[in-house]
Every structure is written in C-alpha cells, then in structure tokens.
Amino acid sequence: MLTQLYIKNYALFSEADIAIPEGLTILTGETGAGKSLLVGALGLIMGRRVDGSVLLLSDEKCIVEARFQKLSRSVKRIMGKFEDFDADDGEVIIRREIRPNGKSRAFINDTPVSLQMLKQVSSLLLDLHGQNENQMLLSADKQMDLVDAYAESSHLVDAFGIKMVRLDKISEELDSVRAQEEESSRQLEYFRFMVDELEKAELQAEEEEQLEQELNLLQNSEDVREALGMAVERLYQQDQAIFNQLGELLDPLKRVEGVDKSIAEEVSRLMEVQESVKESAFSFQNMLDTVGSDPERLAFLEERLSLYHGLKLKYNCQSGADLVGLLDSTVGKLDEFQSLEGRIGDLEQQRSKVLEELTIIGQQLEQARIQGKGNLEKLVTNLLSEVGFEKARFEVAIERNEHADGLLEIEGQRVKPISKGINKVYFLIQTNPGMPAGPLSQIASGGEVSRVMLAIKAALAEKSDFPVMIFDEIDTGISGEIANKVGNVMKKLSRRFQILSITHLPQIAAKGANHLQVKKRVVGDSTQSTVETLAHEERVKVLAEMLSGASPTESAMKNAAELMSS
C-alpha cells in the first residue's frame, strides 16, 4: 500500500508530506485547488515525462517521493527478481527528481534506475485512472489478465508462457543450425572432392621429406659410392687403415697403462675411438651395398614428389604435413555437416513436441476462459447497474488468434500462439438496449471507463491482487442514488484494496474511511496548495459545504452527518 507521498516544488505545492492510510481515502477541494496536481505528481512516480515547467520555483529542483509498504506476496515475488535495486525488507521508495533544466532522475530505494525500470516497478504498485487517459482497462492484454484472474487459469497461462519461451529457444537454435547447414552445403561438393583426392593420394606427414632425401641420394649415387668406398678402405680395409694404425698405437700404451691412472684413462678413450671407427666403416659399407643406380625407383620418387608439389600448389599448403592436416580438418567438416543434419532432426522433433504441448495447454486455457466468462459477464453487468449503467450489458469476447502462418493447427484452423495462449480476449459493453455491443475504447469519458473498471475490479476482488487504485473524478455524469451506489461499491472494494478517490460528490466522499482536502492559499506573491487530513467534525462541515455551499445550514450539517453514518 501507499503510505506516504512527499512533494516539493511541484506546480502549486511548495512542500507537502501526506500520510495515506489504508482503505478508501477521499480527496476533495475546490476547483483549481490542486487535486489533479496530486494525480500528476503520482504520474511522475509512474514514469511520465515532464519538463521544467512544473517547477513552482524555476531555480530549484522538484522532488516527488512515494513510500510503499505491506507489499502483497505476489508483488514481493516479482520484486525479488529485479537486480537493479534491493527490496528485501518489503518496502519500496520511489523518488523522482526534476531539475531546473527539465532533466529528470529516478530512484528506487535510493538506487538510480531508468525510466523504463521505473514504469515497470510502479505499474505493480499503482493503478492510476485519470479522467482523460488511456486506462489499463482498454488494453486487450490487461483484459485477458482480468479474465484469467476470474477463471483462476493463471497457472495455465504460466505453463503456456514457459512452453512459448522453450519454443522460441528451440526455434532460434534451429534457425542457427539451419543457417550453418546452408552455408556448409554450398561448399559440400568441394569438400567431398578434396577429401576424395587427398585420400587417394595416401599422404603421410613425414613422407615428402623422406622422398626428397632418397631422391637426392639416387641423383648423386656415383659420388656417394665413391666417397663411401674410399671411407671404408681408409677407415678399416687398407693395411694402413686408421683402425689398424690405432691398434699399433695402443699396443705399447696398453703395456704401461698400469703405471699411471691418467694413461689408463686415455687408453680407454682411444679404444673407444678405434671401435667407433670400425662401426662407422661397417655403416658406410652397408650404405655402399644399398646405393646404386635405380632408374625405376628414381622415376617413382620424382612422380611421387610431383604429386605432393601439385597438391601443395592447388590447396595453398607449404608441406606434405600441411596437406595431411587439411585432409583431417576437411573430414571433420564433413562429419560436422552430418552432425548438423542430425541436430536439425532432433530440434525439429523437440519443436513438434512443444507445439503439441502448446496445443493441449492452449485448449485447456481456452476452455477455462470460456467456462469462467459467463459468470463474470453476469456479475459485472449487475455491478454496472450499481455504478450508473442501469441498462448496460457486459460481454467477454474470446476468439482464437487465427493466422494463415499460425504454428498450431486446431480443429482445422491455423492458430498463432502468443505468450498468454491461443486466444484474443476483449471486453464489449452495450450501454443502450437495441444497440450493438462495442469495445470499451468507444466509451467517451474517462469517468465512465473508471466506473466500468470499478465494477470489474469489484467482481474480481476475491480472486485478484490489485495495486493501489486511484480514481480521478469517477463521479463524472452521475449524482444522487447512483453516486451513493458507486460509493458503496468503492467502500466494499476498499476492504481488500487501498483506494484514493478524487470526487465532487458528497455521497461518494461520505463513504471514505479517511478524507484529505486540498486547499489553496496566497503566500506572498504566489499561490500555493496544501493538503490537510480532516478530523470527523471537519469532514461533516466539508460534506455539508458540498451539499449546500460555502455557508452550510444546520439542515445541511445534519444531512452530512447522516451521510457519513449511512
């Protein structure tokens, strides 16, 4: 509920700190005193745009602050989802500041927030019905919410919404995967040709380097054989071969190695050298046995290396190892394409399942709305007669949201699902017998729409959780007994919800549990407005003035007292 409203330097208000109690609070005052300015101040809390012209003193900033406490469980639950500010203690303070240059700032619990966030939060706390405004009731989306509240089908709406989020997620992923598949399919034939060509080549990462070494050896075989043969002879085969010379050198050294440890160490080293010479000679001999002139092998090597060279040029690779890597990556792309096809099939199955579930839940929701609308129509029609529409008839139209491209097929119809089901729901009203029922938006005055809203909310009082309701001149076009009935409906509704009502009618004003009066006075060279909370005696006098004028008679005072006690 709204417990306090603070206003500073706004329009005619220099400074006002207004405590607002529970129940029905009446707001009265003479014409031009500033009653509607209070509604305007609350409009700032709801995020309406404004400029510096609203400032009483043009060189000082304007502040409007509203304090909300005793939040309902549903509002607390929603508030808990906002990360922009902290509302853990169950209290919300909304503040709007307007600077002299016309720029504004918004705060929720002292945390700066955007205007969009302000509107989102304030809509949970305030329901403002101004006289010439486009009220919440005229929104088809809100009309659907009210029907669902009465039909107690909100759980189905939630279930449908969850499935719609799931459908959107699957559809988004499906579109992405299909786009990938489409892009891959354009290169698919090229990739397949590449893999076929590279696989037929039977490439190996180290082969090209090995082939080049072997080719170089064959191309220089005569020089290699001559060098190897000379090395084998001089290392091991000749009488004066290095191996034999080392043996002659080692014989006398071995006889004296026991004399000195250092000699023994050097002898050991020379023996190792002699053995290495022998091993090198044997290795060169083995090489010599394998090196020879082989024209067929030479032709094979040249042809094989030519294949590598051509493929490297064709696919812009630097080495045979790069070609092998290209083959592996392209095979991976082909496998990925196959997996995309499988993923598409899987997503299409998931999507079909969600569409089936949406169809089932959507029909259940539609049936719940149809079952609930009859009683709602009767109840609201009866209440309309109590708020001044004696011959009015209220109807709830429920239609399927048919569309040629609808995702759902229900009973041969293509239906487009929305976040809250498969239906369009809107209110119709017939104000005069014999005339066709028409949309509520065709009702001319804001006061009439406010009374229709009052009737609907009274019908839904036991099944809904409304924010603070503010009615600006709901009494437009009524008087006498009808005004008394409107007051009774508001009084009854205020037992569950907080209501602020601006009125000119004593019959409605008398129903309030509390009474605020806006007064205008001259301070120096300026006119300023103030707000006063009236005691019982003051209320009786104000009601009497509303009945008979500025100087109420004793009879008027008596009538006012009777109105308050009725």
Side-chain angles (χ1 to χ4, degrees):
M1 60 173 285
L2 174 64
T3 59
Q4 190 174 19
L5 179 64
Y6 176 78
I7 303 171
K8 183 177 181 181
N9 198 39
Y10 174 75
L12 296 179
F13 290 95
S14 174
E15 187 171 24
D17 195 356
I18 310 164
I20 304 176
E22 297 182 23
L24 174 59
T25 297
I26 298 298
L27 192 64
T28 63
E30 64 184 40
T31 301
K35 301 185 298 299
S36 294
L37 293 177
L38 284 177
V39 176
L42 288 168
L44 291 183
I45 294 298
M46 299 190 72
R48 296 178 184 175
R49 296 192 178 277
V50 73
D51 55 36
S53 63
V54 302
L55 275 59
L56 176 63
L57 299 177
S58 59
D59 58 345
E60 295 183 13
K61 71 178 177 181
C62 159
I63 299 175
V64 178
E65 183 176 280
R67 184 184 299 269
F68 298 88
Q69 296 175 316
K70 297 182 180 179
L71 306 181
S72 66
R73 283 181 295 179
S74 61
V75 170
K76 285 181 180 178
R77 184 176 66 252
I78 297 173
M79 290 287 184
K81 297 178 182 179
F82 292 118
E83 298 180 355
D84 302 69
F85 61 90
D86 184 12
D88 292 340
D89 59 357
E91 179 178 73
V92 174
I93 301 174
I94 298 178
R95 186 171 77 256
R96 188 89 180 273
E97 297 180 357
I98 313 297
R99 298 176 182 176
N101 60 8
K103 294 184 178 180
S104 71
R105 294 194 302 168
F107 301 85
I108 299 180
N109 288 354
D110 289 327
T111 301
V113 296
S114 66
L115 207 58
Q116 181 179 0
M117 172 61 66
L118 181 70
K119 291 178 181 179
Q120 192 174 359
V121 173
S122 63
S123 66
L124 300 170
L125 303 169
L126 286 172
D127 185 6
L128 180 57
H129 301 280
Q131 190 171 10
N132 296 308
E133 297 172 289
N134 205 8
Q135 295 94 352
M136 182 185 80
L137 182 59
L138 302 183
S139 163
D141 193 51
K142 294 299 181 182
Q143 291 175 4
M144 185 181 292
D145 290 343
L146 293 172
V147 171
D148 286 327
Y150 188 80
E152 297 182 343
S153 54
S154 297
H155 64 290
L156 291 172
V157 176
D158 292 341
F160 195 91
I162 291 171
K163 294 296 180 185
M164 282 296 293
V165 171
R166 174 67 176 152
L167 177 65
D168 289 343
K169 185 177 180 181
I170 292 173
S171 298
E172 183 179 348
E173 185 176 357
L174 186 56
D175 289 342
S176 175
V177 176
R178 281 175 173 164
Q180 293 177 48
E181 184 197 38
E182 184 178 351
E183 177 65 25
S184 298
S185 66
R186 285 195 288 266
Q187 304 178 29
L188 188 61
E189 289 305 317
Y190 175 68
F191 288 156
R192 285 174 176 166
F193 170 80
M194 183 189 301
V195 168
D196 183 61
E197 184 174 39
L198 293 177
E199 284 183 341
K200 284 181 178 178
E202 297 181 347
L203 307 174
Q204 299 178 27
E206 307 292 335
E207 183 185 18
E208 183 184 23
E209 183 179 353
Q210 295 170 354
L211 291 174
E212 288 176 341
Q213 291 177 355
E214 187 179 354
L215 177 63
N216 188 46
L217 185 63
L218 279 175
Q219 288 175 336
N220 297 276
S221 60
E222 292 302 322
D223 293 339
V224 171
R225 286 183 62 81
E226 183 179 349
L228 290 175
M230 183 182 297
V232 171
E233 288 181 0
R234 293 184 179 181
L235 287 173
Y236 192 74
Q237 291 180 345
Q238 292 179 348
D239 291 341
Q240 295 300 314
I242 294 175
F243 180 82
N244 295 332
Q245 292 183 34
L246 285 172
E248 293 175 359
L249 176 64
L250 284 167
D251 286 342
L253 290 172
K254 288 178 181 179
R255 288 194 293 270
V256 296
E257 65 179 341
V259 177
D260 188 281
K261 182 179 179 181
S262 296
I263 296 174
E265 290 176 353
E266 296 303 324
V267 167
S268 177
R269 287 178 184 170
L270 286 173
M271 290 177 66
E272 290 176 0
V273 171
Q274 186 185 35
E275 186 63 28
S276 296
V277 167
K278 179 180 178 181
E279 290 177 359
S280 294
F282 285 175
S283 295
F284 288 152
Q285 182 62 53
N286 290 334
M287 294 179 194
L288 184 61
D289 293 340
T290 60
V291 174
S293 177
D294 189 344
E296 291 184 1
R297 182 63 180 174
L298 182 62
F300 169 78
L301 292 175
E302 289 175 342
E303 181 181 357
R304 186 68 176 163
L305 285 170
S306 177
L307 174 64
Y308 269 97
H309 182 68
L311 291 174
K312 287 192 297 182
L313 285 176
K314 186 173 184 178
Y315 296 114
N316 193 29
C317 290
Q318 300 299 316
S319 66
D322 290 345
L323 286 172
V324 173
L326 176 63
L327 173 60
D328 292 341
S329 66
T330 308
V331 169
K333 290 177 181 178
L334 291 178
D335 291 342
E336 183 180 340
F337 182 80
Q338 297 296 325
S339 68
L340 286 176
E341 291 180 331
R343 182 59 180 157
I344 288 173
D346 181 54
L347 288 170
E348 286 176 340
Q349 287 183 353
Q350 292 182 39
R351 187 172 181 272
S352 296
K353 182 179 179 182
V354 173
L355 288 174
E356 290 176 6
E357 293 169 342
L358 283 171
T359 300
I360 294 171
I361 299 173
Q363 288 179 296
Q364 292 174 342
L365 180 54
E366 179 182 65
Q367 191 59 36
R369 287 166 174 165
I370 291 173
Q371 289 177 350
K373 89 181 190 81
N375 289 334
L376 178 60
E377 289 171 337
K378 293 177 183 177
L379 185 55
V380 174
T381 296
N382 291 335
L383 284 165
L384 283 174
S385 67
E386 295 187 23
V387 294
F389 299 97
E390 294 184 0
K391 298 184 182 294
R393 189 179 83 252
F394 176 79
E395 296 179 9
V396 177
I398 299 175
E399 300 175 357
R400 284 183 182 165
N401 193 30
E402 293 185 49
H403 195 280
D405 297 326
L407 296 175
L408 307 181
E409 183 174 353
I410 303 175
E411 298 172 348
Q413 297 175 323
R414 299 306 306 181
V415 179
K416 181 180 180 180
I418 57 176
S419 63
K420 295 182 180 180
I422 61 174
N423 302 118
K424 293 183 288 186
V425 176
Y426 51 95
F427 295 163
L428 301 172
I429 188 169
Q430 180 193 56
T431 54
N432 297 301
M435 297 294 291
L440 283 178
S441 57
Q442 295 179 0
I443 295 178
S445 74
E448 288 178 324
V449 177
S450 294
R451 277 185 280 141
V452 174
M453 174 60 87
L454 178 61
I456 292 173
K457 290 195 170 181
L460 295 171
E462 298 301 320
K463 299 185 178 183
S464 300
D465 186 12
F466 297 122
V468 180
M469 286 178 278
I470 303 164
F471 292 98
D472 184 5
E473 301 194 15
I474 195 174
D475 51 19
T476 300
I478 63 172
S479 61
E481 184 57 28
I482 296 299
N484 186 57
K485 289 182 177 181
V486 169
N488 285 333
V489 173
M490 293 176 68
K491 184 176 181 179
K492 181 179 179 181
L493 189 58
S494 69
R495 293 170 186 164
R496 291 203 62 211
F497 307 107
Q498 187 183 27
I499 298 177
L500 276 69
S501 179
I502 298 174
T503 184
H504 293 100
L505 297 180
Q507 294 90 342
I508 293 178
K511 306 298 180 182
N514 322 285
H515 194 142
L516 302 176
Q517 187 174 38
V518 182
K519 293 183 178 181
K520 187 166 58 176
R521 58 183 179 139
V522 177
V523 179
D525 296 330
S526 66
T527 301
Q528 297 183 10
S529 294
T530 59
V531 181
E532 296 180 5
T533 301
L534 301 183
H536 178 78
E537 295 77 11
E538 294 172 317
R539 289 189 64 187
V540 172
K541 184 176 184 296
V542 168
L543 288 178
E545 290 174 348
M546 294 172 73
L547 285 167
S548 65
S551 299
T553 63
E554 184 177 343
S555 176
M557 293 288 288
K558 183 178 180 181
N559 288 340
E562 290 176 353
L563 272 177
M564 289 189 61
S565 63
S566 63

